[in-house]
Every structure is written in structure tokens, then in C-alpha cells.
Amino acid sequence: MTPGTPRDRRRAPRAAAAAGAGLLLVPLAGCGSGGGSGGGGDIRIGVPAPLSGDSASAGQDILAAAKVAADEVNKAGGVRGRSIRIVQADDACSAQQGAQAAQKLLNSKVVAVAGGYCSGAAVPAIPIYGRRDVPFVLDASTNPSLTETGKGKVFRTCGRDDNQGALAAKFMTGQLGARRVAVLHDNTTYAKGLADAAAGSAKGLGAQVVYEDALQPGQSDYSPVLTKIASTKPDVVYFTGYFAEAGLLLRQRKQLGLKFTLMGGDATTDSTVLKTAGAAADGYIATTAPLAKDLPAAASFVAAYKARNGADPGPFSVYEYDAVKLLAKVMGDTGSTKGPDITKALHGVKDYPGITGPITFDQKGDRTDPLYITVRVQKGAFTAYKKLDKTGAAWVDARTGS
């Protein structure tokens, strides 16, 4: 899907402590672009995210997590004595504003970028950063094209939609026993890519894809869409769009008395879904990377996030936290804030102990061990549900592994 999709245009108004500890307190080599990249002063890391529009809660969560990470680095002595400074930019989940946000961050003299939510906003930003050799570590933008076309300067602490789509198809056809699958998206880069991956995988597993089409985001009534889908008699409907629509779909499906199972992708695990859908969200299942509360290593982060923000962290907070801490780590290890040096060091990362698990990047910049699970709404909260065992053949409890 190209970046200028209807939703992308509409969205204008989607080794932790070691980073500072144990490092020599000497200046880092500058990268020549001035400002925060020089031999003294703060080190500026850019965070592009949707800080306005329907996905603003996700963007604010990402920004808050970046600040928690920076606070920890700085309290531990900084990066070789220099403080990390987070520079924010609102990409509004829009291709146009994504490009503008990238240029704003470069003008602010960031040495690296950690963030992103909507893939459609990241697509035009990547070549802008790339021309200045500024590495971009994505925390939530999952469309495969981002690392495929990133020329080795784009990395991900999250997974890819082709991996998520394959897992969704296995869950629908295996755990749920679905034979007739409907796939609903919203025509954005992320949603269309995940929909295509899920539909293709479902067909490969012998399911019949009885419906695959888009809704118009931003509407208040999806009853006609739901009724049309119901006429195809699906066992499961997999919605790959964003949380604003997911909550409405759940509520209106219940109002219409429709019986098919409604699942969603990882952009539907925001707490807004629970507020919008109310009781209609009970039992809702989504595919996602593990959430902060389900990661034992994230306990201290969750506590720090809540203390700083007075709220629980959102679904992509831990992936942003790991992105910022990892950037601080490699800059400390190399003693450089030059973009090419940071990029080279990121490619050399092996089993970095992130709170989301060990991080190693492949040649393209993707994690070699992306983990997707399913979560289910129970008692008004998203709860870890099922994951594939190590053989990839059986579904086990996502928390216990049994």
C-alpha cells in the first residue's frame, strides 16, 4: 500500500542500566551536524510519533516511554558523561506529516531516531533520515517494506507484519478451527500489509477467505460493513486496522447480534478499545507482541512509567524503551555519535538484554527472534492468552508455556 492512503491523510488532527553505568566519562566524537551531536552538551534522540489525532494515545505512550529510558540513562551518569535529550515530533500517522516530522528532527540535530507508530508515516521519513545517515530504530511500525528498503539504516525492536499475519492465520485455522475467514482492513500501509499477510497465510493453510476489503476509517457506524461481512458466513473476522475502529466494531457487532468471532491485530490492543466497546470487548482476541505487564523483565520499567505518568504503559512502550536504551548503549560502547558509527554498532548487536527479550538484528535490521502471541480481554483488561510452542506446532499458555 502506498503511503498516501485515506487514513494516513486524515490523521493530521497511529542492557538497560549499562547504558550509563561503567562507561568512561569522556566526550564522544561528534558527527559534524552540530547541536546535540557535537563533542559536548546533550545527545539528542528524535522520537516521531502521532501526538495528535485518533492515535494520539499511542503516540503519547511511546514518547513517555522514551523519556523514562532517557531518565534512567541520565541518572546513571549519561552516555560517557553526556545526557540524553528526547526531541519529539508529531507525525500524526500521516505520510505528509511523517516527512515533516523527519525534517524537523534533523533540523533539531538529532543523532538517531527511535519511534514511529503508523507505518504510513514512517515510509516517507526513512529516505529523509537515510540521506543524512541518521539511523532509525522503529518501535511499532511493522510493515515489512520499512527494513526492506531502509538500506541498512533502519532497525526494529518490534516484529514484522508478515510474521504476525502468519501467526494470526495459524491461530484462526488451528486454535479456533476456522474454515471460513474474513479479513477487514482500513487501506493504510500497516493494515493492508497485515491483511494481505494474514489472508495469504490462511489460504495456504487451507482456509477459504470469504471476504477481504476495507472500511472507511473515522466513521461512527459500521453496521453496514458488519452486516455485509456476516452475509459471507465467516467463522472468524480478522480486523487489521487501528484501535479507534476496533472498539466500535466490537460494540456494534454485539448490538447486531452477530455471532462470528472478531479478532484484531497489534494496533487494537490500546486501552481505548476497552473504553469504547465496554462489555462487548469481553473475550476479544488480538495478535500482538508481548505487552509490558506480561514481561517479567519489564517490572521495573512498568513501575517507573507509572510513577512518572500516573498510568499503565501502553502496548508499544517497552519496545520504545528498548530502542532508546539500545541506542544509548551502542553510543557509549563506540564513543561516537556519528550516524555511520551508530548504524555499524547496531548491526553488530548480539543478544542485547532488552526487557522485551534478547535483541539481535539480521542484515536487514529486523529482530532475529520476533515473538508474537495472542491476548484476550478478560475482566476488562488485555491478558496474555496463547502462543506457539518452540516447535511451532502446538498452542500453549502464553504465560506458563504449558
Side-chain angles (χ1 to χ4, degrees):
M1 189 63 196
T2 56
T5 58
R7 187 184 190 101
D8 293 329
R9 293 193 297 267
R10 186 183 63 81
R11 281 188 176 274
R14 176 194 150 266
L23 297 174
L24 295 175
L25 301 183
V26 296
L28 276 73
C31 74
S33 61
S37 62
D42 54 29
I43 299 171
R44 301 176 191 177
I45 295 178
V47 177
L51 304 177
S52 62
D54 288 346
S55 294
S57 62
Q60 294 290 351
D61 173 62
I62 288 168
L63 178 61
K67 291 179 177 179
V68 170
D71 283 350
E72 290 185 7
V73 172
N74 295 338
K75 287 177 182 177
V79 178
R80 297 200 175 205
R82 295 174 61 187
S83 295
I84 293 292
R85 176 182 169 189
I86 298 300
V87 182
Q88 67 193 60
D90 182 10
D91 66 26
C93 272
S94 155
Q96 180 178 356
Q97 288 196 227
Q100 293 171 353
Q103 192 58 57
K104 175 186 175 181
L105 292 176
L106 291 179
N107 291 344
S108 298
K109 303 191 184 305
V110 301
V111 301
V113 178
Y117 179 65
C118 293
S119 294
V123 168
I126 284 173
I128 295 174
Y129 297 130
R131 285 192 289 271
R132 294 279 290 276
D133 288 325
V134 172
F136 189 3
V137 184
L138 300 161
D139 69 324
S141 298
T142 50
N143 187 273
S145 69
L146 302 177
T147 44
E148 298 281 351
T149 61
K151 297 183 178 180
K153 302 172 187 177
V154 179
F155 303 83
R156 259 192 273 248
T157 56
C158 56
R160 290 169 46 126
D161 291 329
D162 43 2
N163 295 326
Q164 183 179 185
L167 179 125
K170 286 183 178 180
F171 185 84
M172 289 186 288
T173 59
Q175 182 69 17
L176 298 183
R179 293 296 173 263
R180 297 174 63 84
V181 172
V183 181
L184 178 65
H185 58 89
D186 65 9
N187 258 337
T188 58
T189 303
Y190 154 75
K192 183 64 165 57
L194 179 54
D196 289 346
S201 294
K203 292 174 184 176
L205 293 170
Q208 182 181 1
V209 178
V210 296
Y211 181 95
E212 185 178 3
D213 206 348
L215 53 69
Q216 177 63 45
Q219 304 298 305
S220 60
D221 183 10
Y222 291 109
S223 297
V225 174
L226 289 165
T227 301
K228 183 176 181 181
I229 293 173
S231 71
T232 67
K233 296 181 172 53
D235 299 315
V236 182
V237 177
Y238 186 49
F239 175 60
T240 64
Y242 290 86
F243 56 82
E245 285 71 43
L248 289 173
L249 289 168
L250 283 165
R251 191 176 70 201
Q252 291 166 8
R253 179 195 62 152
K254 184 174 181 179
Q255 291 170 346
L256 292 169
L258 302 176
K259 303 302 182 183
F260 55 72
T261 298
L262 179 60
M263 281 181 55
D266 57 353
T268 70
T269 56
D270 190 275
S271 61
T272 303
V273 171
L274 309 177
K275 298 172 186 175
T276 302
D282 290 347
Y284 177 64
I285 297 170
T287 54
T288 184
L291 306 180
K293 65 179 183 177
D294 298 320
L295 292 165
S300 61
F301 162 75
V302 172
Y305 185 104
K306 292 178 72 171
R308 194 183 202 280
N309 301 288
D312 291 324
F316 293 102
S317 58
V318 281
Y319 301 92
E320 175 67 10
Y321 175 91
D322 271 355
V324 173
K325 295 296 284 282
L326 179 53
L327 283 169
K329 176 69 163 59
V330 299
M331 286 188 283
D333 287 349
T334 61
S336 174
T337 57
K338 293 181 180 179
D341 292 340
I342 298 171
T343 297
K344 181 179 179 180
L346 288 170
H347 277 294
V349 166
K350 301 295 181 185
D351 294 326
Y352 167 79
I355 61 174
T356 60
I359 297 175
T360 300
F361 297 115
D362 65 17
Q363 190 173 21
K364 294 177 182 177
D366 289 306
R367 286 181 76 153
T368 57
D369 64 338
L371 175 63
Y372 281 103
I373 65 172
T374 63
V375 294
R376 182 172 59 177
V377 176
Q378 292 181 305
K379 298 180 180 179
F382 285 102
T383 304
Y385 183 40
K386 296 289 184 180
K387 68 178 181 181
L388 285 169
D389 67 5
K390 293 181 179 180
T391 70
W395 292 96
V396 295
D397 187 283
R399 290 161 294 187
T400 66
S402 60

